[in-house]
Amino acid sequence: MAAASSEEGAVGPRCHDHSTAMLDVPFLPFCAFLGTLGLLCVAMVGTWCQHWRGGFSLDGSSRTFNWHPVLMVTGLVVLYGAAALVYRIPNTWSGPKLPWKLLHTSLALGAFVLTVLGLAAVFRFHNCQGTPNMYSLHSWMGLGTVLLFSCQWAAGFGAFLLPWAPAWLRALYKPIHVFFGSTILMLSVASCVSGINEKLFFSLKNGTTEYKLLPAEAVFANTLGLLILIFGVLVVAALARPSWKRPDSDSLDSRQ
């Protein structure tokens, strides 16, 4: 009986190691899949606004509003997710860190610019149509996310790029920066998904097939929302994976 138990104990770890190895996905193929998924989200939100919502313009009509979901998904979710994953690229683990810092900062800044343009589009639409601003949970959550994002970018720029930030301050702020990076991404996903749902409720009623009857537009937009959610979850999972984290170093180069 004792021999059988020891054999089972020996087999158990081997099975565990084997299953763990099967789940061990290389970073670069995972990143390529994630990039494809992000591009699919952008393409789908553009197709939704073009095919079902009338396209795009800057005349203050509903076509001006259509810039809002496209810019928000592109900037606040996809481009922001790409910025968050820069330091998971194995090439960043050695050599000068400054170029990767600049890339991370530039991607985040690009995401912020697109997000501000997206906000400008929805405010212009509301003002031209006489619709009140900032009355829904979606709008509160979205604006709060953008404000948190702006604070995150400014604090990260000051702590990690400006040369006079002391090493102890960087070490103290780094885990806070990482935590809020993931938090902002999930808030962005929640804002986009709630916005899609709110738009469907407002649009699919008089003169159209009601939302509760699940017309083709509702199926398409709901699918888009699920893909955005999957994208956000996968990015957060990649950020949390220990083997993909950049090793800490006390070298002068790491404190560049």
Side-chain angles (χ1 to χ4, degrees), residues 125-140:
F125 166 71
H126 282 176
N127 294 336
C128 288
Q129 300 298 317
T131 303
N133 292 306
M134 303 305 300
Y135 64 90
S136 67
L137 176 61
H138 163 68
S139 61
W140 295 356

Side-chain angles (χ1 to χ4, degrees), residues 2-40:
S5 298
S6 61
E7 182 179 357
E8 289 175 0
V11 172
R14 287 201 300 268
C15 292
H16 176 73
D17 292 342
H18 180 65
S19 62
T20 302
M22 291 177 63
L23 296 174
D24 189 16
V25 180
F27 175 78
L28 292 181
F30 176 85
C31 197
F33 170 77
L34 203 56
T36 302
L37 181 58
L39 292 176
L40 179 60

Side-chain angles (χ1 to χ4, degrees), residues 37-84:
L37 181 58
L39 292 176
L40 179 60
C41 291
V42 174
M44 286 186 68
V45 69
T47 301
W48 177 34
C49 293
Q50 180 66 45
H51 181 71
W52 278 286
R53 297 290 102 214
F56 305 90
S57 78
L58 299 174
D59 58 2
S61 67
S62 60
R63 293 183 299 168
T64 299
F65 172 86
N66 289 341
W67 287 108
H68 175 66
V70 171
L71 292 172
M72 288 305 198
V73 170
T74 304
L76 206 54
V77 176
V78 176
L79 201 56
Y80 184 88

Side-chain angles (χ1 to χ4, degrees), residues 3-215:
S5 298
S6 61
E7 182 179 357
E8 289 175 0
V11 172
R14 287 201 300 268
C15 292
H16 176 73
D17 292 342
H18 180 65
S19 62
T20 302
M22 291 177 63
L23 296 174
D24 189 16
V25 180
F27 175 78
L28 292 181
F30 176 85
C31 197
F33 170 77
L34 203 56
T36 302
L37 181 58
L39 292 176
L40 179 60
C41 291
V42 174
M44 286 186 68
V45 69
T47 301
W48 177 34
C49 293
Q50 180 66 45
H51 181 71
W52 278 286
R53 297 290 102 214
F56 305 90
S57 78
L58 299 174
D59 58 2
S61 67
S62 60
R63 293 183 299 168
T64 299
F65 172 86
N66 289 341
W67 287 108
H68 175 66
V70 171
L71 292 172
M72 288 305 198
V73 170
T74 304
L76 206 54
V77 176
V78 176
L79 201 56
Y80 184 88
L85 288 176
V86 164
Y87 291 119
R88 297 303 185 268
I89 301 173
N91 294 344
T92 68
W93 296 359
S94 60
K97 195 175 180 181
L98 182 59
W100 299 105
K101 285 185 177 183
L102 293 175
L103 177 61
H104 174 75
T105 304
S106 300
L107 288 173
L109 180 61
F112 182 72
V113 170
L114 293 181
T115 299
V116 171
L117 292 175
L119 286 179
V122 71
F123 279 116
R124 174 170 170 75
F125 166 71
H126 282 176
N127 294 336
C128 288
Q129 300 298 317
T131 303
N133 292 306
M134 303 305 300
Y135 64 90
S136 67
L137 176 61
H138 163 68
S139 61
W140 295 356
M141 184 163 51
L143 186 59
T145 302
V146 175
L147 292 175
L148 188 60
F149 181 14
S150 62
C151 293
Q152 168 88 340
W153 191 92
F157 182 84
F160 300 119
L161 271 180
L162 296 183
W164 54 75
W168 66 264
L169 178 61
R170 297 183 184 188
L172 179 67
Y173 177 64
K174 180 180 176 181
I176 300 174
H177 187 76
V178 172
F179 169 78
F180 277 105
S182 298
T183 300
I184 291 169
L185 179 61
M186 295 315 297
L187 287 174
S188 302
V189 169
S191 299
C192 289
V193 171
S194 64
I196 290 170
N197 195 245
E198 183 178 284
K199 182 62 176 176
L200 290 175
F201 272 119
F202 285 159
S203 301
L204 299 180
K205 47 182 182 179
N206 298 331
T208 68
T209 304
E210 294 185 17
Y211 185 24
K212 65 182 180 181
L213 300 177
L214 205 64

